[in-house]
Amino acid sequence: MNTLYFDMTSGLAGDMTVAGLLHISGVKSRVLSELFSKFFKSKVEIVLETCFVNGIKCSRLSIDFDKTAVKKRDFLTIKEMISSSSLISEKVKIASTGIFRIIAEAESKIHGQNIDNVHFHEVGAVDSIIDIISTAYLLEKISPDKIVFSTPLTGSGIIKSGHGTIPVPSPATMEILKGLDIKRIDAGDELTTPTGAAIIKYYCNNANISFSGRILETAYSTGTKSFEELPNILRILLLKQNSQAHNIIEIEANVDDMTGEEMGFLMDSFLKSGALDIFFTPVYMKKNRPGYKISILCSPDKAEFLSEKLLRESSTAGIRFSERQRIILDREFTSLEFKGYTVTLKKISGDNFVKIYPEYESVAEIARQTGTPFNTVYREILKNLE
């Protein structure tokens, strides 16, 4: 499993993101130049420059285009440009439009406009289109299993915008980052831009300052700004993780007055609603009444929803929850031909070991079709794997 980790020491902007991803992906900047020259039907030159920030070698994106030919574009126009392009895949179109939509929704709320009419200022619109589509395009090339971001940093002060002077973080950035943990520092300038915030919001459900795994690749990128107390650097890490370690939430409740049918329905309902797992443990409760402890495992972003669901759909009058750490191994499915049947195999791997098991449904189907005992079929399949 490969994880892409964005270590945002000074926030995030679109150009810094693209510069870092170009390095990680190995895609040459001229590929993007050719792509966007065709996309805009006008010459676009994208160059990856090398510079040093506090002695650290970094990549910086340089974009050059004919600014006299730039047109005004609103969200509806940009959306149609993306959807009608034959230069990018459907996956890139969906991600690009999704990121632009996040920005447009925030701007429409701030300025009281219809979302389709949200205006992206002339020169900034071209930069934003290049940054956002390039991000989606390069992430498709890298194809990480998971994307993780550190806590977004926002700056302070006053900056100029197309509508006049505005506070930092900008209202759009604050609206986009709503629901995520952020950290504001006294930088006297903008650190996380609306484009950077939208990239975070689209690809990340939660921020995580810690990471683990074997480092496969690192990239350092920067923008055009410099700060006295802060290195303007984005560090991107590509990590290989044979086992997945992460935090989960365990929700618990005890019940002694629910029927077996109700408990079975509850389990199915929670698994369909995003629980990682749910199980029941027999317990003795007050007055020696036999009951069950309901245990639900879920990701942190699902904890509130599933807690409310348990209170609403079970007979419990209260719940308790705790944070747990969980390690799971990499899992993938393969297949094997066995006596004319296709057997689905589950392959579980960790550091220096692999475990392979035939899937129950495959074994059961062969047992039913051939009249052979289940355990006999199972053992014969395992022998074929040796």
Side-chain angles (χ1 to χ4, degrees), residues 8 148-152 180-182 200 204-210:
M8 303 181 292
V148 181
F149 294 80
S150 62
T151 303
L180 293 178
D181 292 334
I182 66 170
I200 297 168
C204 178
N205 289 323
N206 201 11
N208 192 342
I209 200 166
S210 63

Side-chain angles (χ1 to χ4, degrees), residues 81-92:
M81 289 174 65
I82 293 172
S83 64
S84 62
S85 176
S86 61
L87 301 170
I88 52 179
S89 70
E90 193 63 29
K91 183 178 180 180
V92 173

Side-chain angles (χ1 to χ4, degrees), residues 163-372:
H163 299 279
T165 55
I166 58 174
V168 176
S170 72
T173 297
M174 290 290 275
E175 183 65 28
I176 292 167
L177 292 176
K178 188 181 291 183
L180 293 178
D181 292 334
I182 66 170
K183 182 179 180 180
R184 188 187 192 191
I185 62 174
D186 185 15
D189 206 337
E190 186 176 48
L191 297 180
T192 296
T193 66
T195 298
I199 291 170
I200 297 168
K201 191 65 174 283
Y202 185 82
Y203 287 107
C204 178
N205 289 323
N206 201 11
N208 192 342
I209 200 166
S210 63
F211 59 87
S212 63
R214 185 168 72 250
I215 299 174
L216 302 179
E217 188 62 78
T218 60
Y220 292 85
S221 61
T222 187
T224 56
K225 297 177 181 178
S226 60
F227 311 108
E228 287 186 10
E229 303 295 330
L230 191 71
N232 189 21
I233 290 175
L234 168 66
R235 176 164 53 189
I236 303 178
L237 306 176
L238 183 62
L239 303 165
K240 173 69 174 178
Q241 296 175 310
N242 286 330
S243 62
Q244 305 171 40
H246 55 272
N247 294 331
I248 60 171
I249 302 297
E250 183 173 13
I251 307 167
E252 293 182 338
N254 292 359
V255 297
D256 63 1
D257 55 354
M258 292 181 65
T259 67
E261 290 89 348
E262 289 173 321
M263 296 290 285
F265 182 85
L266 191 75
M267 177 176 285
D268 289 341
S269 177
F270 272 83
L271 290 173
K272 290 176 181 176
S273 296
L276 298 172
D277 199 1
I278 175 172
F279 51 93
F280 307 140
T281 306
V283 293
Y284 279 94
M285 298 173 60
K286 293 176 182 176
K287 302 178 182 179
N288 287 326
R289 292 175 181 168
Y292 289 97
K293 179 175 72 172
I294 302 171
S295 300
I296 299 166
L297 305 182
C298 66
S299 57
D301 61 303
K302 290 277 189 180
E304 183 177 355
F305 167 72
L306 293 180
S307 295
E308 292 176 356
K309 181 179 174 67
L310 184 60
L311 288 169
R312 186 174 61 252
E313 298 184 12
S314 74
S315 63
T316 186
I319 61 171
R320 54 194 179 272
F321 56 90
S322 57
E323 186 172 318
R324 303 279 190 173
Q325 286 193 317
R326 183 173 81 152
I327 297 176
I328 59 175
L329 300 174
D330 278 347
R331 306 175 190 187
E332 62 179 292
F333 292 94
T334 60
S335 61
L336 169 74
E337 291 301 315
F338 175 76
K339 296 184 176 179
Y341 296 91
T342 300
V343 180
T344 300
L345 304 173
K346 180 188 290 183
K347 182 180 178 182
I348 303 173
S349 59
D351 289 327
N352 303 316
F353 69 88
V354 175
K355 296 185 284 187
I356 301 177
Y357 304 101
E359 280 288 274
Y360 166 80
E361 292 296 344
S362 293
V363 179
E365 181 63 21
I366 296 172
R368 283 192 291 264
Q369 293 291 334
T370 62
T372 308

